[in-house]
PDB file of all heavy atoms in Angstrom:
ATOM      1  N   ARG A 658      60.332   7.328 123.606  1.00 94.00           N
ATOM      2  CA  ARG A 658      59.870   6.242 124.472  1.00 94.00           C
ATOM      3  C   ARG A 658      60.933   5.147 124.603  1.00 94.00           C
ATOM      4  O   ARG A 658      61.157   4.615 125.688  1.00 94.00           O
ATOM      5  CB  ARG A 658      58.569   5.641 123.930  1.00 94.00           C
ATOM      6  CG  ARG A 658      57.357   6.545 124.082  1.00 94.00           C
ATOM      7  CD  ARG A 658      56.078   5.857 123.643  1.00 94.00           C
ATOM      8  NE  ARG A 658      56.097   5.529 122.210  1.00 94.00           N
ATOM      9  CZ  ARG A 658      56.213   4.297 121.743  1.00 94.00           C
ATOM     10  NH1 ARG A 658      56.335   3.279 122.583  1.00 94.00           N
ATOM     11  NH2 ARG A 658      56.217   4.073 120.436  1.00 94.00           N
ATOM     12  N   ARG A 659      61.575   4.784 123.479  1.00 96.00           N
ATOM     13  CA  ARG A 659      62.626   3.768 123.524  1.00 96.00           C
ATOM     14  C   ARG A 659      64.000   4.416 123.676  1.00 96.00           C
ATOM     15  O   ARG A 659      64.787   4.033 124.536  1.00 96.00           O
ATOM     16  CB  ARG A 659      62.591   2.919 122.247  1.00 96.00           C
ATOM     17  CG  ARG A 659      61.302   2.171 122.021  1.00 96.00           C
ATOM     18  CD  ARG A 659      61.424   1.234 120.826  1.00 96.00           C
ATOM     19  NE  ARG A 659      60.106   0.717 120.435  1.00 96.00           N
ATOM     20  CZ  ARG A 659      59.343   1.279 119.511  1.00 96.00           C
ATOM     21  NH1 ARG A 659      59.758   2.362 118.868  1.00 96.00           N
ATOM     22  NH2 ARG A 659      58.162   0.761 119.217  1.00 96.00           N
ATOM     23  N   TYR A 660      64.262   5.365 122.793  1.00 98.00           N
ATOM     24  CA  TYR A 660      65.537   6.092 122.821  1.00 98.00           C
ATOM     25  C   TYR A 660      65.249   7.562 122.564  1.00 98.00           C
ATOM     26  O   TYR A 660      64.140   7.931 122.159  1.00 98.00           O
ATOM     27  CB  TYR A 660      66.488   5.544 121.755  1.00 98.00           C
ATOM     28  CG  TYR A 660      66.868   4.105 122.000  1.00 98.00           C
ATOM     29  CD1 TYR A 660      66.179   3.063 121.374  1.00 98.00           C
ATOM     30  CD2 TYR A 660      67.902   3.780 122.883  1.00 98.00           C
ATOM     31  CE1 TYR A 660      66.503   1.737 121.626  1.00 98.00           C
ATOM     32  CE2 TYR A 660      68.230   2.454 123.134  1.00 98.00           C
ATOM     33  CZ  TYR A 660      67.528   1.437 122.507  1.00 98.00           C
ATOM     34  OH  TYR A 660      67.857   0.138 122.763  1.00 98.00           O
ATOM     35  N   MET A 661      66.263   8.396 122.808  1.00 98.00           N
ATOM     36  CA  MET A 661      66.106   9.818 122.559  1.00 98.00           C
ATOM     37  C   MET A 661      67.179  10.261 121.569  1.00 98.00           C
ATOM     38  O   MET A 661      68.289  10.631 121.949  1.00 98.00           O
ATOM     39  CB  MET A 661      66.199  10.629 123.862  1.00 98.00           C
ATOM     40  CG  MET A 661      65.922  12.121 123.662  1.00 98.00           C
ATOM     41  SD  MET A 661      65.886  13.059 125.218  1.00 98.00           S
ATOM     42  CE  MET A 661      64.281  12.572 125.862  1.00 98.00           C
ATOM     43  N   SER A 662      66.846  10.184 120.283  1.00 98.00           N
ATOM     44  CA  SER A 662      67.755  10.677 119.253  1.00 98.00           C
ATOM     45  C   SER A 662      67.751  12.203 119.289  1.00 98.00           C
ATOM     46  O   SER A 662      66.960  12.824 120.014  1.00 98.00           O
ATOM     47  CB  SER A 662      67.311  10.190 117.875  1.00 98.00           C
ATOM     48  OG  SER A 662      66.111  10.835 117.487  1.00 98.00           O
ATOM     49  N   LEU A 663      68.620  12.814 118.504  1.00 98.00           N
ATOM     50  CA  LEU A 663      68.661  14.278 118.475  1.00 98.00           C
ATOM     51  C   LEU A 663      67.297  14.860 118.122  1.00 98.00           C
ATOM     52  O   LEU A 663      66.864  15.866 118.713  1.00 98.00           O
ATOM     53  CB  LEU A 663      69.716  14.737 117.459  1.00 98.00           C
ATOM     54  CG  LEU A 663      69.816  16.240 117.190  1.00 98.00           C
ATOM     55  CD1 LEU A 663      70.002  17.027 118.480  1.00 98.00           C
ATOM     56  CD2 LEU A 663      70.964  16.525 116.219  1.00 98.00           C
ATOM     57  N   SER A 664      66.597  14.224 117.194  1.00 97.00           N
ATOM     58  CA  SER A 664      65.276  14.726 116.783  1.00 97.00           C
ATOM     59  C   SER A 664      64.210  14.531 117.857  1.00 97.00           C
ATOM     60  O   SER A 664      63.109  15.066 117.725  1.00 97.00           O
ATOM     61  CB  SER A 664      64.831  14.021 115.494  1.00 97.00           C
ATOM     62  OG  SER A 664      65.701  14.329 114.432  1.00 97.00           O
ATOM     63  N   ASP A 665      64.538  13.773 118.903  1.00 98.00           N
ATOM     64  CA  ASP A 665      63.601  13.566 120.008  1.00 98.00           C
ATOM     65  C   ASP A 665      63.859  14.491 121.183  1.00 98.00           C
ATOM     66  O   ASP A 665      63.158  14.414 122.196  1.00 98.00           O
ATOM     67  CB  ASP A 665      63.658  12.111 120.478  1.00 98.00           C
ATOM     68  CG  ASP A 665      63.261  11.142 119.383  1.00 98.00           C
ATOM     69  OD1 ASP A 665      62.176  11.324 118.801  1.00 98.00           O
ATOM     70  OD2 ASP A 665      64.044  10.220 119.081  1.00 98.00           O
ATOM     71  N   THR A 666      64.876  15.348 121.061  1.00 98.00           N
ATOM     72  CA  THR A 666      65.074  16.409 122.048  1.00 98.00           C
ATOM     73  C   THR A 666      64.261  17.614 121.592  1.00 98.00           C
ATOM     74  O   THR A 666      63.924  17.730 120.400  1.00 98.00           O
ATOM     75  CB  THR A 666      66.552  16.826 122.139  1.00 98.00           C
ATOM     76  OG1 THR A 666      66.961  17.407 120.884  1.00 98.00           O
ATOM     77  CG2 THR A 666      67.437  15.636 122.462  1.00 98.00           C
ATOM     78  N   LEU A 667      63.957  18.524 122.480  1.00 98.00           N
ATOM     79  CA  LEU A 667      63.212  19.716 122.067  1.00 98.00           C
ATOM     80  C   LEU A 667      64.008  20.533 121.058  1.00 98.00           C
ATOM     81  O   LEU A 667      63.467  20.998 120.053  1.00 98.00           O
ATOM     82  CB  LEU A 667      62.874  20.583 123.286  1.00 98.00           C
ATOM     83  CG  LEU A 667      62.200  21.934 122.983  1.00 98.00           C
ATOM     84  CD1 LEU A 667      60.924  21.742 122.176  1.00 98.00           C
ATOM     85  CD2 LEU A 667      61.907  22.681 124.286  1.00 98.00           C
ATOM     86  N   PHE A 668      65.323  20.678 121.301  1.00 98.00           N
ATOM     87  CA  PHE A 668      66.101  21.532 120.396  1.00 98.00           C
ATOM     88  C   PHE A 668      66.304  20.908 119.023  1.00 98.00           C
ATOM     89  O   PHE A 668      66.577  21.615 118.046  1.00 98.00           O
ATOM     90  CB  PHE A 668      67.448  21.925 121.024  1.00 98.00           C
ATOM     91  CG  PHE A 668      68.286  20.807 121.565  1.00 98.00           C
ATOM     92  CD1 PHE A 668      69.239  20.170 120.789  1.00 98.00           C
ATOM     93  CD2 PHE A 668      68.154  20.409 122.903  1.00 98.00           C
ATOM     94  CE1 PHE A 668      70.030  19.161 121.303  1.00 98.00           C
ATOM     95  CE2 PHE A 668      68.948  19.394 123.433  1.00 98.00           C
ATOM     96  CZ  PHE A 668      69.890  18.759 122.628  1.00 98.00           C
ATOM     97  N   GLY A 669      66.113  19.578 118.895  1.00 98.00           N
ATOM     98  CA  GLY A 669      66.162  18.940 117.588  1.00 98.00           C
ATOM     99  C   GLY A 669      64.784  18.793 116.958  1.00 98.00           C
ATOM    100  O   GLY A 669      64.608  18.978 115.754  1.00 98.00           O
ATOM    101  N   PHE A 670      63.793  18.479 117.780  1.00 98.00           N
ATOM    102  CA  PHE A 670      62.401  18.322 117.348  1.00 98.00           C
ATOM    103  C   PHE A 670      61.899  19.586 116.661  1.00 98.00           C
ATOM    104  O   PHE A 670      61.143  19.542 115.692  1.00 98.00           O
ATOM    105  CB  PHE A 670      61.556  18.004 118.586  1.00 98.00           C
ATOM    106  CG  PHE A 670      60.127  17.631 118.327  1.00 98.00           C
ATOM    107  CD1 PHE A 670      59.811  16.462 117.657  1.00 98.00           C
ATOM    108  CD2 PHE A 670      59.098  18.425 118.797  1.00 98.00           C
ATOM    109  CE1 PHE A 670      58.481  16.098 117.438  1.00 98.00           C
ATOM    110  CE2 PHE A 670      57.774  18.072 118.592  1.00 98.00           C
ATOM    111  CZ  PHE A 670      57.455  16.909 117.912  1.00 98.00           C
ATOM    112  N   PHE A 671      62.351  20.728 117.157  1.00 96.00           N
ATOM    113  CA  PHE A 671      61.959  22.043 116.669  1.00 96.00           C
ATOM    114  C   PHE A 671      62.196  22.175 115.161  1.00 96.00           C
ATOM    115  O   PHE A 671      61.375  22.745 114.443  1.00 96.00           O
ATOM    116  CB  PHE A 671      62.796  23.090 117.417  1.00 96.00           C
ATOM    117  CG  PHE A 671      62.191  24.466 117.487  1.00 96.00           C
ATOM    118  CD1 PHE A 671      61.248  24.764 118.452  1.00 96.00           C
ATOM    119  CD2 PHE A 671      62.596  25.472 116.620  1.00 96.00           C
ATOM    120  CE1 PHE A 671      60.710  26.040 118.558  1.00 96.00           C
ATOM    121  CE2 PHE A 671      62.073  26.749 116.709  1.00 96.00           C
ATOM    122  CZ  PHE A 671      61.123  27.034 117.678  1.00 96.00           C
ATOM    123  N   GLY A 672      63.327  21.660 114.665  1.00 97.00           N
ATOM    124  CA  GLY A 672      63.683  21.881 113.266  1.00 97.00           C
ATOM    125  C   GLY A 672      63.675  20.646 112.390  1.00 97.00           C
ATOM    126  O   GLY A 672      64.051  20.725 111.214  1.00 97.00           O
ATOM    127  N   ASP A 673      63.234  19.508 112.918  1.00 97.00           N
ATOM    128  CA  ASP A 673      63.333  18.245 112.191  1.00 97.00           C
ATOM    129  C   ASP A 673      62.563  18.284 110.874  1.00 97.00           C
ATOM    130  O   ASP A 673      61.373  18.624 110.836  1.00 97.00           O
ATOM    131  CB  ASP A 673      62.806  17.110 113.073  1.00 97.00           C
ATOM    132  CG  ASP A 673      63.179  15.737 112.548  1.00 97.00           C
ATOM    133  OD1 ASP A 673      64.240  15.611 111.913  1.00 97.00           O
ATOM    134  OD2 ASP A 673      62.413  14.788 112.784  1.00 97.00           O
ATOM    135  N   LEU A 674      63.245  17.946 109.775  1.00 97.00           N
ATOM    136  CA  LEU A 674      62.670  17.834 108.438  1.00 97.00           C
ATOM    137  C   LEU A 674      62.137  19.152 107.876  1.00 97.00           C
ATOM    138  O   LEU A 674      61.362  19.166 106.915  1.00 97.00           O
ATOM    139  CB  LEU A 674      61.542  16.783 108.413  1.00 97.00           C
ATOM    140  CG  LEU A 674      61.963  15.361 108.795  1.00 97.00           C
ATOM    141  CD1 LEU A 674      60.743  14.451 108.907  1.00 97.00           C
ATOM    142  CD2 LEU A 674      62.944  14.788 107.781  1.00 97.00           C
ATOM    143  N   LEU A 675      62.557  20.275 108.449  1.00 98.00           N
ATOM    144  CA  LEU A 675      62.150  21.587 107.964  1.00 98.00           C
ATOM    145  C   LEU A 675      63.319  22.271 107.254  1.00 98.00           C
ATOM    146  O   LEU A 675      64.461  21.856 107.362  1.00 98.00           O
ATOM    147  CB  LEU A 675      61.663  22.461 109.129  1.00 98.00           C
ATOM    148  CG  LEU A 675      60.478  21.927 109.941  1.00 98.00           C
ATOM    149  CD1 LEU A 675      60.164  22.876 111.089  1.00 98.00           C
ATOM    150  CD2 LEU A 675      59.256  21.740 109.050  1.00 98.00           C
ATOM    151  N   ASN A 676      62.999  23.339 106.542  1.00 98.00           N
ATOM    152  CA  ASN A 676      64.035  24.123 105.864  1.00 98.00           C
ATOM    153  C   ASN A 676      63.786  25.597 106.124  1.00 98.00           C
ATOM    154  O   ASN A 676      62.635  26.025 106.267  1.00 98.00           O
ATOM    155  CB  ASN A 676      64.021  23.842 104.362  1.00 98.00           C
ATOM    156  CG  ASN A 676      65.335  24.217 103.700  1.00 98.00           C
ATOM    157  OD1 ASN A 676      66.400  23.851 104.201  1.00 98.00           O
ATOM    158  ND2 ASN A 676      65.293  24.947 102.608  1.00 98.00           N
ATOM    159  N   TRP A 677      64.853  26.390 106.188  1.00 98.00           N
ATOM    160  CA  TRP A 677      64.689  27.816 106.450  1.00 98.00           C
ATOM    161  C   TRP A 677      65.945  28.597 106.074  1.00 98.00           C
ATOM    162  O   TRP A 677      67.040  28.052 106.040  1.00 98.00           O
ATOM    163  CB  TRP A 677      64.367  28.054 107.933  1.00 98.00           C
ATOM    164  CG  TRP A 677      65.452  27.618 108.870  1.00 98.00           C
ATOM    165  CD1 TRP A 677      66.524  28.346 109.308  1.00 98.00           C
ATOM    166  CD2 TRP A 677      65.591  26.317 109.479  1.00 98.00           C
ATOM    167  NE1 TRP A 677      67.309  27.601 110.155  1.00 98.00           N
ATOM    168  CE2 TRP A 677      66.765  26.356 110.279  1.00 98.00           C
ATOM    169  CE3 TRP A 677      64.840  25.146 109.437  1.00 98.00           C
ATOM    170  CZ2 TRP A 677      67.195  25.251 111.016  1.00 98.00           C
ATOM    171  CZ3 TRP A 677      65.283  24.055 110.166  1.00 98.00           C
ATOM    172  CH2 TRP A 677      66.437  24.121 110.945  1.00 98.00           C
ATOM    173  N   CYS A 678      65.756  29.868 105.792  1.00 98.00           N
ATOM    174  CA  CYS A 678      66.861  30.813 105.605  1.00 98.00           C
ATOM    175  C   CYS A 678      66.288  32.218 105.553  1.00 98.00           C
ATOM    176  O   CYS A 678      65.091  32.409 105.304  1.00 98.00           O
ATOM    177  CB  CYS A 678      67.675  30.517 104.341  1.00 98.00           C
ATOM    178  SG  CYS A 678      66.796  30.757 102.789  1.00 98.00           S
ATOM    179  N   GLY A 679      67.143  33.178 105.801  1.00 97.00           N
ATOM    180  CA  GLY A 679      66.752  34.572 105.704  1.00 97.00           C
ATOM    181  C   GLY A 679      67.411  35.225 104.503  1.00 97.00           C
ATOM    182  O   GLY A 679      67.900  34.566 103.589  1.00 97.00           O
ATOM    183  N   GLN A 680      67.428  36.562 104.526  1.00 96.00           N
ATOM    184  CA  GLN A 680      68.031  37.331 103.452  1.00 96.00           C
ATOM    185  C   GLN A 680      68.837  38.468 104.055  1.00 96.00           C
ATOM    186  O   GLN A 680      68.453  39.025 105.094  1.00 96.00           O
ATOM    187  CB  GLN A 680      66.951  37.907 102.535  1.00 96.00           C
ATOM    188  CG  GLN A 680      65.979  36.885 101.987  1.00 96.00           C
ATOM    189  CD  GLN A 680      64.856  37.516 101.195  1.00 96.00           C
ATOM    190  OE1 GLN A 680      65.087  38.172 100.183  1.00 96.00           O
ATOM    191  NE2 GLN A 680      63.621  37.337 101.656  1.00 96.00           N
ATOM    192  N   ALA A 681      69.930  38.817 103.424  1.00 95.00           N
ATOM    193  CA  ALA A 681      70.735  39.940 103.897  1.00 95.00           C
ATOM    194  C   ALA A 681      69.912  41.223 103.798  1.00 95.00           C
ATOM    195  O   ALA A 681      69.174  41.439 102.833  1.00 95.00           O
ATOM    196  CB  ALA A 681      72.007  40.062 103.070  1.00 95.00           C
ATOM    197  N   ASN A 682      70.013  42.039 104.833  1.00 94.00           N
ATOM    198  CA  ASN A 682      69.343  43.343 104.854  1.00 94.00           C
ATOM    199  C   ASN A 682      67.826  43.238 104.716  1.00 94.00           C
ATOM    200  O   ASN A 682      67.181  44.076 104.086  1.00 94.00           O
ATOM    201  CB  ASN A 682      69.901  44.254 103.741  1.00 94.00           C
ATOM    202  CG  ASN A 682      71.410  44.411 103.832  1.00 94.00           C
ATOM    203  OD1 ASN A 682      71.943  44.660 104.902  1.00 94.00           O
ATOM    204  ND2 ASN A 682      72.090  44.255 102.713  1.00 94.00           N
ATOM    205  N   SER A 683      67.261  42.196 105.294  1.00 95.00           N
ATOM    206  CA  SER A 683      65.813  42.022 105.260  1.00 95.00           C
ATOM    207  C   SER A 683      65.375  41.218 106.472  1.00 95.00           C
ATOM    208  O   SER A 683      66.065  40.284 106.878  1.00 95.00           O
ATOM    209  CB  SER A 683      65.388  41.299 103.985  1.00 95.00           C
ATOM    210  OG  SER A 683      64.001  40.977 104.032  1.00 95.00           O
ATOM    211  N   ILE A 684      64.233  41.571 107.030  1.00 96.00           N
ATOM    212  CA  ILE A 684      63.709  40.818 108.169  1.00 96.00           C
ATOM    213  C   ILE A 684      62.766  39.701 107.712  1.00 96.00           C
ATOM    214  O   ILE A 684      62.153  39.026 108.530  1.00 96.00           O
ATOM    215  CB  ILE A 684      62.967  41.750 109.154  1.00 96.00           C
ATOM    216  CG1 ILE A 684      61.778  42.424 108.468  1.00 96.00           C
ATOM    217  CG2 ILE A 684      63.914  42.774 109.750  1.00 96.00           C
ATOM    218  CD1 ILE A 684      60.879  43.185 109.427  1.00 96.00           C
ATOM    219  N   GLU A 685      62.684  39.517 106.387  1.00 96.00           N
ATOM    220  CA  GLU A 685      61.792  38.500 105.836  1.00 96.00           C
ATOM    221  C   GLU A 685      62.509  37.168 105.655  1.00 96.00           C
ATOM    222  O   GLU A 685      63.707  37.116 105.372  1.00 96.00           O
ATOM    223  CB  GLU A 685      61.236  38.966 104.486  1.00 96.00           C
ATOM    224  CG  GLU A 685      60.440  40.259 104.547  1.00 96.00           C
ATOM    225  CD  GLU A 685      59.212  40.145 105.436  1.00 96.00           C
ATOM    226  OE1 GLU A 685      58.582  39.064 105.430  1.00 96.00           O
ATOM    227  OE2 GLU A 685      58.894  41.126 106.136  1.00 96.00           O
ATOM    228  N   LEU A 686      61.768  36.089 105.794  1.00 97.00           N
ATOM    229  CA  LEU A 686      62.278  34.767 105.445  1.00 97.00           C
ATOM    230  C   LEU A 686      62.292  34.619 103.920  1.00 97.00           C
ATOM    231  O   LEU A 686      61.514  35.277 103.231  1.00 97.00           O
ATOM    232  CB  LEU A 686      61.399  33.681 106.060  1.00 97.00           C
ATOM    233  CG  LEU A 686      61.302  33.668 107.588  1.00 97.00           C
ATOM    234  CD1 LEU A 686      60.231  32.677 108.036  1.00 97.00           C
ATOM    235  CD2 LEU A 686      62.627  33.315 108.208  1.00 97.00           C
ATOM    236  N   ASP A 687      63.163  33.782 103.409  1.00 97.00           N
ATOM    237  CA  ASP A 687      63.220  33.541 101.966  1.00 97.00           C
ATOM    238  C   ASP A 687      62.450  32.262 101.663  1.00 97.00           C
ATOM    239  O   ASP A 687      62.921  31.161 101.954  1.00 97.00           O
ATOM    240  CB  ASP A 687      64.680  33.416 101.505  1.00 97.00           C
ATOM    241  CG  ASP A 687      64.808  33.426  99.985  1.00 97.00           C
ATOM    242  OD1 ASP A 687      63.798  33.123  99.311  1.00 97.00           O
ATOM    243  OD2 ASP A 687      65.901  33.734  99.476  1.00 97.00           O
TER     244      ASP A 687
END
C-alpha cells in the first residue's frame, strides 16, 4: 500500500519467512 518491498511482490511473498530444501536422489522435501 505504501511501498513494494521484495516481500511485497508475488515472487518474494511466495517464500517470505519460510524455509525449504530437497534431497539428492529423492523427490521428497527434507
Side-chain angles (χ1 to χ4, degrees):
R658 289 185 296 109
R659 299 187 192 93
Y660 296 95
M661 185 175 284
S662 70
L663 174 54
S664 296
D665 299 307
T666 65
L667 175 56
F668 51 92
F670 188 66
F671 204 83
D673 194 30
L674 300 173
L675 301 177
N676 200 48
W677 62 88
C678 66
Q680 306 175 61
N682 305 313
S683 173
I684 61 171
E685 300 299 323
L686 299 171
D687 191 339

